[in-house]
Amino acid sequence: MNPGSFRLGLALEGTGWHPASWLLSSVTDAEEVFKGGYWTDWGRAAASGGVDFVTLEDGLSLQTDRFGTADQAHDRVRGRLDPIVTAAVLLATTDISEVVVSRNVTHSNPFHVAVQMASLAAIGPGRVTWRPQVSADARDATVVGGPATPQLRPEDVYVPTRIARRLRDLFRDAEDYVRTVRELWKTFPAESLSSGDTFLHRDMVAPLRLTGRERYPAAGPLTVPVPSTPKVAVLAHHALEPYRLAAAVADRVFVTPSQEHPIPALLTAFREIEQLTPDAAGTEVYADVAVVLGDTAEHAEARLARLNETAGFVWAPDTQVFVGTADRLARELTRWREQFGLSGVRLRPAVLSDDGARIVQELVR
């Protein structure tokens, strides 16, 4: 495809996003997924293949097949490297243009996240985006010893509005959290650094003047200068609360289209909420899509069928699953850009070694 200003991202996650990806991946050594070389190789492949950005996931609880319910599965990928550490590796060892880093905001401290993201921005100026992640899994609170959060049932994940209503307070907290981080980034500007006998202009490094922020009263200043302010991206399922969060604080929103909620409907709903949100400033809209690719449409369908059979259930993620060839996907993305004005797309490969490779080798030309 000829993307022009349309940006394409590759969502890196273990051996892929399908629960059975490990069993059908070319990766055979579990330790490989936790080595720097694995992630460096994918960062370099994405950069050389013309992918504009990669994304890294955060998670406080071990992954499960059934949302919010621990399992004893032994043939699934479980565990993740810390996304901040992985991002640092990618920024230092690859030419990828941008790394989007997820970081949980429900059970973390704004000051620490502000320092982490500022440190990444120092390593890769202009190449870092932060995706604040609201904790939807009540198990997370137990794992980290944080405050209790609402318990969602497995069936809730198929009803975004139900999730949003139950987590309304967490989304509101997330909005305040992001604002606090952005304010903290201003407390140690890169312009304060000097040379020679003077290391920095001390009068430019100062704490915030707190104005009644009871939830997140961090004042700073940060312990690291901020050479370029990271952008903020929000993954927003189709509901008021996540859309409001994105409109209020994000530079970019990833929407999750489905048969019930196609892209035009999502765009209309988001723009309406954006217009009603104070201080909203023109958020770029990207689509978030899972993909299963093949040599032909039939081959792709057969691959998905085998993945589902191996998993023992039908894969039903929180967004649309595209099944087909890379050429057809390219045509579909071109249509989305031209008809709906999307700024880009993030693709979640079902099996990284297969679908990720096809994205890099066949989709981006």
Side-chain angles (χ1 to χ4, degrees):
M1 65 178 294
N2 180 17
S5 60
F6 189 85
R7 303 184 71 242
L8 187 144
L10 178 64
L12 300 178
E13 169 71 335
T15 56
W17 287 76
H18 194 287
S21 62
W22 163 255
L23 294 172
L24 297 179
S25 171
S26 63
V27 180
T28 57
D29 183 359
E31 288 188 8
E32 185 175 345
V33 180
F34 299 95
K35 293 181 178 178
Y38 177 80
W39 299 93
T40 296
D41 287 347
W42 275 110
R44 289 173 176 166
S48 64
V51 170
D52 296 295
F53 63 92
V54 296
T55 67
L56 302 172
E57 302 304 306
D58 195 9
L60 302 181
S61 304
L62 289 177
Q63 305 94 312
T64 63
D65 286 349
R66 187 171 171 79
F67 176 81
T69 304
D71 60 35
Q72 301 300 316
H74 64 277
D75 55 357
R76 308 280 200 262
V77 172
R78 295 292 183 262
R80 295 183 180 94
L81 290 176
D82 186 285
I84 297 293
V85 176
T86 308
V89 171
L90 292 179
L91 291 168
T93 62
T94 78
D95 294 326
I96 191 67
S97 298
E98 180 187 5
V99 181
V100 180
V101 186
S102 300
R103 180 92 288 184
N104 184 278
V105 300
T106 306
H107 301 294
S108 63
N109 182 286
F111 181 88
H112 295 150
V113 170
V115 168
Q116 290 168 347
M117 297 308 302
S119 298
L120 290 179
I123 295 172
R127 300 167 61 199
V128 178
T129 294
W130 170 41
R131 181 171 82 82
Q133 180 188 70
V134 172
S135 185
D137 191 338
R139 294 180 306 146
D140 293 349
T142 302
V143 170
V144 302
T149 56
Q151 177 70 51
L152 298 177
R153 296 184 295 270
E155 56 270 21
D156 289 338
V157 298
Y158 301 108
V159 187
T161 52
R162 189 182 301 170
I163 296 176
R165 284 197 301 270
R166 295 192 179 189
L167 303 183
R168 180 177 291 119
D169 289 344
L170 298 187
F171 280 104
R172 291 175 179 172
D173 283 349
E175 183 177 333
D176 292 339
Y177 190 114
V178 175
R179 293 187 190 281
T180 297
V181 168
R182 278 189 155 150
E183 288 298 312
L184 286 169
W185 283 336
K186 300 176 183 178
T187 62
F188 195 163
E191 294 77 15
S192 64
L193 297 178
S194 187
S195 61
D197 294 337
T198 301
F199 185 86
L200 81 164
H201 302 290
R202 192 62 184 82
D203 58 326
M204 297 178 66
V205 181
L208 298 173
R209 294 182 178 179
L210 299 178
T211 54
R213 288 178 301 154
E214 297 179 0
R215 183 69 177 89
Y216 298 113
L222 293 186
T223 55
V224 58
V226 184
S228 62
T229 303
K231 292 185 177 180
V232 176
V234 167
L235 174 65
H237 299 114
H238 186 55
L240 171 61
E241 286 77 6
Y243 278 8
R244 175 181 163 73
L245 172 64
V249 301
D251 304 289
R252 181 187 314 169
V253 59
F254 296 110
V255 297
T256 53
S258 64
Q259 187 173 359
E260 296 79 14
H261 302 291
I263 289 176
L266 299 185
L267 283 170
T268 299
F270 178 75
R271 292 306 184 195
E272 289 178 351
I273 292 173
E274 189 176 47
Q275 291 177 2
L276 297 173
T277 301
D279 301 324
T283 308
E284 293 184 338
V285 179
Y286 287 56
D288 206 51
V289 181
V291 296
V292 181
L293 301 175
D295 296 330
T296 63
E298 293 75 17
H299 180 217
E301 292 284 358
R303 286 193 59 236
L304 178 58
R306 186 184 178 198
L307 283 164
N308 288 340
E309 181 181 5
T310 302
F313 56 86
V314 175
W315 186 34
D318 57 348
T319 193
Q320 172 184 337
V321 180
F322 174 90
V323 185
T325 65
D327 284 344
R328 182 174 154 243
L329 176 57
R331 292 194 298 271
E332 188 72 356
L333 297 183
T334 299
R335 184 177 70 86
W336 289 356
R337 179 192 65 194
E338 294 177 350
Q339 292 188 10
F340 310 133
L342 289 180
S343 297
V345 65
R346 180 178 81 141
L347 301 179
R348 307 182 196 175
V351 181
L352 192 54
S353 59
D354 293 321
D355 303 294
R358 286 182 183 272
I359 289 169
V360 170
Q361 297 168 9
E362 302 175 20
L363 181 63
V364 185
R365 297 175 182 171

